[in-house]
Amino acid sequence: MSTDVIVLNGGSSSGKSGIVRCLQALLPQPWINLGVDDLIERLPPALLDSGSGITFGQGGDVVLGDEWRAIENAWTIGIAAMARAGARVIIDDNFLGGRASQERLRGHLDGLRVLWVGVHCSPEAAEAREFARGNRAPGMAAQQATKVHEGVVYDVEVDTTHAESLDCARIIARHVS
Amino acid sequence: MSTDVIVLNGGSSSGKSGIVRCLQALLPQPWINLGVDDLIERLPPALLDSGSGITFGQGGDVVLGDEWRAIENAWTIGIAAMARAGARVIIDDNFLGGRASQERLRGHLDGLRVLWVGVHCSPEAAEAREFARGNRAPGMAAQQATKVHEGVVYDVEVDTTHAESLDCARIIARHVS
Amino acid sequence: MSTDVIVLNGGSSSGKSGIVRCLQALLPQPWINLGVDDLIERLPPALLDSGSGITFGQGGDVVLGDEWRAIENAWTIGIAAMARAGARVIIDDNFLGGRASQERLRGHLDGLRVLWVGVHCSPEAAEAREFARGNRAPGMAAQQATKVHEGVVYDVEVDTTHAESLDCARIIARHVS
Amino acid sequence: MSTDVIVLNGGSSSGKSGIVRCLQALLPQPWINLGVDDLIERLPPALLDSGSGITFGQGGDVVLGDEWRAIENAWTIGIAAMARAGARVIIDDNFLGGRASQERLRGHLDGLRVLWVGVHCSPEAAEAREFARGNRAPGMAAQQATKVHEGVVYDVEVDTTHAESLDCARIIARHVS
């Protein structure tokens, strides 16, 4: 029974992208990567910083409007369909709603073999990395660091606070079948 | 009856990306954009320049292997599912197989209202733009300029040889319902 | 007597970057490129959108503060020194002050053989390209299109309104000795 | 007596760029950043992967040809001139020649107050980060990790193996006057 989907959940600046690139290089099968940031990049400008779309507030708040929710729902249905059609997909996400976000995604991925991965990072380290990136809304890292994991159930968990992305990816790869 | 999917077909360096950005800004509804280049970016490195994946040859040849075809098939199924779930999607593509590529995509988009758009550009202008971009495999633009349109049937056609992306987008937008 | 410096002056979205890439590929000698946009990218965040640094206003205004002027002055002195030390440099710039900007730059480049190139583009075409890029402050293209050329004296002039970057670069290349 | 130039020397993937962004945000005065990677980006394509320019070999070797050396020399003279004209400059570099590289740069920066900073990283961590970036010639990180520091004398040294860029930048900032 092989894994169909890998879901990486972690706060902003917790190191998900580096882990994804390592997983893509380490895993023997081809995995494509689609995450919430990809959807944001594909949005029309009118949905960015708009009440109906997605807004990045001053203190790191992320506010999601009705248009965003509708599009994100369709987007997720599409990714699940890709996986059902045979594409191996790594989804990287921030579960802003914690357990409720996981349950919603679990519903979309029904029937697929999913590896749920928690990507932890201390708020302090995530905040320092956010600062060093210089292109993220300040505050998101600290605010999301623990919140996105509330009530979420994982198959494997890694912590990037003191470990390299590559070492985290190696741990995850051992759970991919 | 509103349009569900806009398909832009044109050769490499024919100006599709500029038209997409203009359409996203012009159209009153939110449209997300997913194209073949997005899939290429999401691939693992092992599928790039690999016989089983996608290879960009010396003279601008693009060679597609079995793994590529399998993933592209699943990817397209997923995008169709997004559109059926209510996301408005602009697909930009190069129909390397001309009419056969269109028929394959038409099959995937069954039941959706699709606006088929041909994005033409003279081989000379496309080649000059490829040269000016400096980051594309030389030869693709000239090779694809007319080939991707062979036998393809469109609802609307634009030509970027002497027109700005914005003007082309305005013509297309009038056909979006 | 060989050319030491090529100065391309044109408004925002007039097509300077494409011409630069073509010139670098066409010219037999190695030319490095440094322009005002490179300086902006290297600035600390505190000087962006700051009264003392550089501000991109609502209607396309660019407001330059004292800190910006001091750094730009030092930057230009450095580029002139690179050229005097033997590096062939293509400078792309917007002469917001028209002739006065040219005279200031001419002073810095004293003793060097400079090819002054005007990159024209109709306000309408530049504005359409700015719109299609989607990542520029709207209004700059139209506002700068003719203003940056006021009173400026050129060795060669090109117009990108109806010509490809590559064709413009070929015209310029014939004047490089 | 205030610092004119900060030189960060460290191997590939040792974390210099993150430290630079933090320093630019932390330091009260405006500092611009110019490094060897900036020069590489500005080069014409003919000097990349060319015997006379700069070549990135299979195992992480970096081979420098005569044209490269001539341009880099002129580039460094220009940066020193910028600093003498009052721009505060952070130079990030890899001293492939160890002490000899430092002595050459010291010669160029004669008369300027320079803060020499060593950015250390264990070969293992640098290699893991190189792998996670996915866009660097494999092998450079491990090969340069200790080599670039051979015989080099520093005013301050940081180690990114177990510390965040921000913490390293804070240590460095205390030495900037």
Side-chain angles (χ1 to χ4, degrees):
Chain A
M1 294 262 294
S2 63
T3 310
D4 296 313
V5 175
I6 302 170
V7 175
L8 300 185
N9 177 45
S12 182
S13 293
S14 64
K16 297 183 297 295
S17 301
I19 293 176
V20 168
R21 283 190 294 269
C22 290
L23 280 172
Q24 289 189 303
L26 289 175
L27 293 169
Q29 308 275 20
W31 287 80
I32 62 172
N33 167 235
L34 283 161
V36 69
D37 283 354
D38 291 301
L39 175 55
I40 292 171
E41 277 177 33
R42 321 242 94 63
L43 288 180
L47 283 200
L48 296 171
D49 294 317
S50 118
S52 65
I54 184 166
T55 313
F56 298 95
Q58 280 288 331
D61 283 327
V62 180
V63 185
L64 307 174
D66 287 346
E67 294 262 38
W68 167 267
R69 289 186 195 282
I71 289 184
E72 195 201 15
N73 189 56
W75 166 266
T76 312
I77 287 171
I79 292 176
M82 283 180 202
R84 284 194 194 96
R88 293 171 190 85
V89 186
I90 305 173
I91 299 175
D92 54 302
D93 208 338
N94 322 45
F95 288 170
L96 296 179
R99 180 179 200 111
S101 301
Q102 183 179 35
E103 289 315 309
R104 204 176 315 122
L105 182 55
R106 192 193 300 277
H108 284 303
L109 300 177
D110 186 43
L112 293 162
R113 283 148 301 191
V114 181
L115 183 75
W116 297 94
V117 182
V119 180
H120 298 275
C121 182
S122 77
E124 295 73 24
E127 192 171 23
R129 291 170 196 178
E130 176 183 74
F131 190 86
R133 293 168 86 172
N135 59 0
R136 302 285 144 162
M140 287 204 300
Q143 194 177 117
Q144 297 177 11
T146 57
K147 192 174 98 174
V148 300
H149 299 291
E150 280 170 13
V152 180
V153 182
Y154 295 113
D155 299 304
V156 52
E157 297 178 62
V158 294
D159 190 321
T160 66
T161 311
H162 302 294
E164 297 296 331
S165 302
L166 177 56
D167 296 317
C168 296
R170 284 192 175 122
I171 293 169
I172 299 165
R174 285 198 292 268
H175 292 77
V176 177
S177 55
Chain B
M1 296 259 295
S2 63
T3 309
D4 297 312
V5 175
I6 302 170
V7 175
L8 299 185
N9 176 46
S12 182
S13 293
S14 64
K16 298 184 297 294
S17 302
I19 293 175
V20 167
R21 283 190 294 269
C22 290
L23 280 172
Q24 289 189 302
L26 290 176
L27 293 169
Q29 307 276 18
W31 286 81
I32 62 171
N33 167 235
L34 282 161
V36 69
D37 283 354
D38 290 301
L39 175 55
I40 292 171
E41 275 177 35
R42 322 241 94 63
L43 289 179
L47 283 201
L48 295 171
D49 295 317
S50 119
S52 65
I54 185 166
T55 313
F56 297 94
Q58 280 287 332
D61 283 327
V62 180
V63 185
L64 307 174
D66 286 346
E67 293 262 38
W68 167 268
R69 288 185 195 282
I71 289 184
E72 196 202 13
N73 189 57
W75 167 266
T76 311
I77 288 171
I79 292 176
M82 282 180 202
R84 283 194 196 97
R88 292 170 191 85
V89 186
I90 305 173
I91 299 176
D92 54 302
D93 207 337
N94 322 44
F95 289 170
L96 296 179
R99 178 177 201 112
S101 300
Q102 183 179 35
E103 289 314 310
R104 205 176 313 122
L105 182 55
R106 193 192 300 277
H108 284 303
L109 300 177
D110 187 42
L112 293 162
R113 282 148 301 189
V114 180
L115 183 74
W116 298 93
V117 182
V119 180
H120 298 275
C121 182
S122 76
E124 295 73 25
E127 192 170 24
R129 291 170 195 178
E130 176 182 73
F131 190 87
R133 292 168 87 172
N135 59 0
R136 302 285 144 162
M140 285 204 301
Q143 196 178 116
Q144 297 177 11
T146 57
K147 194 174 97 172
V148 301
H149 298 292
E150 280 171 13
V152 180
V153 182
Y154 296 113
D155 298 305
V156 52
E157 298 178 62
V158 293
D159 190 320
T160 67
T161 311
H162 301 295
E164 297 296 330
S165 303
L166 177 56
D167 296 317
C168 296
R170 285 193 174 124
I171 292 169
I172 299 166
R174 285 198 290 268
H175 292 76
V176 177
S177 55
Chain C
M1 296 260 296
S2 63
T3 310
D4 297 312
V5 175
I6 302 170
V7 176
L8 300 185
N9 176 46
S12 183
S13 293
S14 64
K16 298 183 297 293
S17 302
I19 294 177
V20 167
R21 283 190 294 269
C22 290
L23 281 172
Q24 288 189 304
L26 290 175
L27 293 169
Q29 307 276 19
W31 286 81
I32 62 173
N33 168 235
L34 283 161
V36 69
D37 283 354
D38 291 300
L39 175 55
I40 292 171
E41 276 178 34
R42 321 244 94 64
L43 288 180
L47 283 201
L48 295 171
D49 295 315
S50 119
S52 65
I54 184 167
T55 312
F56 297 96
Q58 280 289 332
D61 283 326
V62 180
V63 185
L64 307 174
D66 287 346
E67 294 262 37
W68 166 268
R69 288 185 195 282
I71 289 184
E72 195 202 14
N73 188 57
W75 165 267
T76 311
I77 288 171
I79 292 176
M82 281 181 202
R84 283 194 195 97
R88 291 170 192 84
V89 186
I90 305 173
I91 299 175
D92 54 302
D93 207 338
N94 322 46
F95 289 169
L96 296 179
R99 179 180 200 110
S101 301
Q102 182 179 35
E103 290 313 310
R104 205 176 313 121
L105 182 54
R106 192 193 300 278
H108 283 304
L109 300 177
D110 187 43
L112 293 162
R113 280 148 304 191
V114 181
L115 183 74
W116 298 93
V117 182
V119 180
H120 299 274
C121 182
S122 76
E124 294 73 25
E127 193 170 24
R129 292 170 194 177
E130 175 182 74
F131 190 86
R133 293 168 87 173
N135 58 0
R136 302 285 144 161
M140 285 204 300
Q143 195 178 117
Q144 296 177 11
T146 55
K147 193 175 97 173
V148 301
H149 299 292
E150 280 171 14
V152 180
V153 182
Y154 296 113
D155 299 305
V156 51
E157 297 177 63
V158 293
D159 191 320
T160 67
T161 312
H162 302 294
E164 297 297 331
S165 301
L166 177 56
D167 296 317
C168 296
R170 284 193 175 124
I171 293 169
I172 299 165
R174 285 199 291 268
H175 291 75
V176 177
S177 54
Chain D
M1 295 261 296
S2 63
T3 310
D4 297 313
V5 175
I6 302 170
V7 175
L8 299 185
N9 177 45
S12 183
S13 292
S14 64
K16 297 183 297 295
S17 302
I19 294 176
V20 167
R21 283 190 293 270
C22 291
L23 280 172
Q24 288 190 303
L26 290 176
L27 293 169
Q29 307 277 18
W31 286 80
I32 62 173
N33 167 234
L34 282 160
V36 69
D37 283 353
D38 291 301
L39 175 54
I40 292 170
E41 275 178 35
R42 320 244 95 63
L43 287 180
L47 283 201
L48 295 171
D49 294 316
S50 119
S52 64
I54 184 166
T55 313
F56 297 95
Q58 280 288 330
D61 282 327
V62 180
V63 185
L64 307 174
D66 286 346
E67 294 261 37
W68 166 267
R69 289 185 194 283
I71 288 183
E72 195 202 13
N73 189 58
W75 166 266
T76 312
I77 287 171
I79 292 176
M82 281 180 202
R84 283 194 194 97
R88 293 171 190 84
V89 186
I90 304 174
I91 299 174
D92 54 302
D93 207 338
N94 323 45
F95 289 169
L96 297 178
R99 180 181 200 110
S101 300
Q102 183 179 35
E103 289 313 310
R104 204 176 315 124
L105 182 55
R106 192 192 300 278
H108 284 303
L109 300 177
D110 187 43
L112 293 162
R113 282 147 302 189
V114 180
L115 183 74
W116 297 94
V117 181
V119 180
H120 298 274
C121 182
S122 77
E124 295 73 24
E127 193 170 23
R129 292 169 194 178
E130 176 182 73
F131 190 86
R133 293 168 86 172
N135 59 359
R136 303 285 144 161
M140 285 204 299
Q143 196 179 116
Q144 296 176 11
T146 56
K147 193 174 97 173
V148 300
H149 298 292
E150 280 171 13
V152 180
V153 182
Y154 295 114
D155 298 305
V156 53
E157 298 178 61
V158 294
D159 190 322
T160 67
T161 310
H162 301 295
E164 297 296 331
S165 301
L166 177 56
D167 296 317
C168 296
R170 284 193 175 122
I171 293 169
I172 298 165
R174 286 199 289 269
H175 291 76
V176 177
S177 54

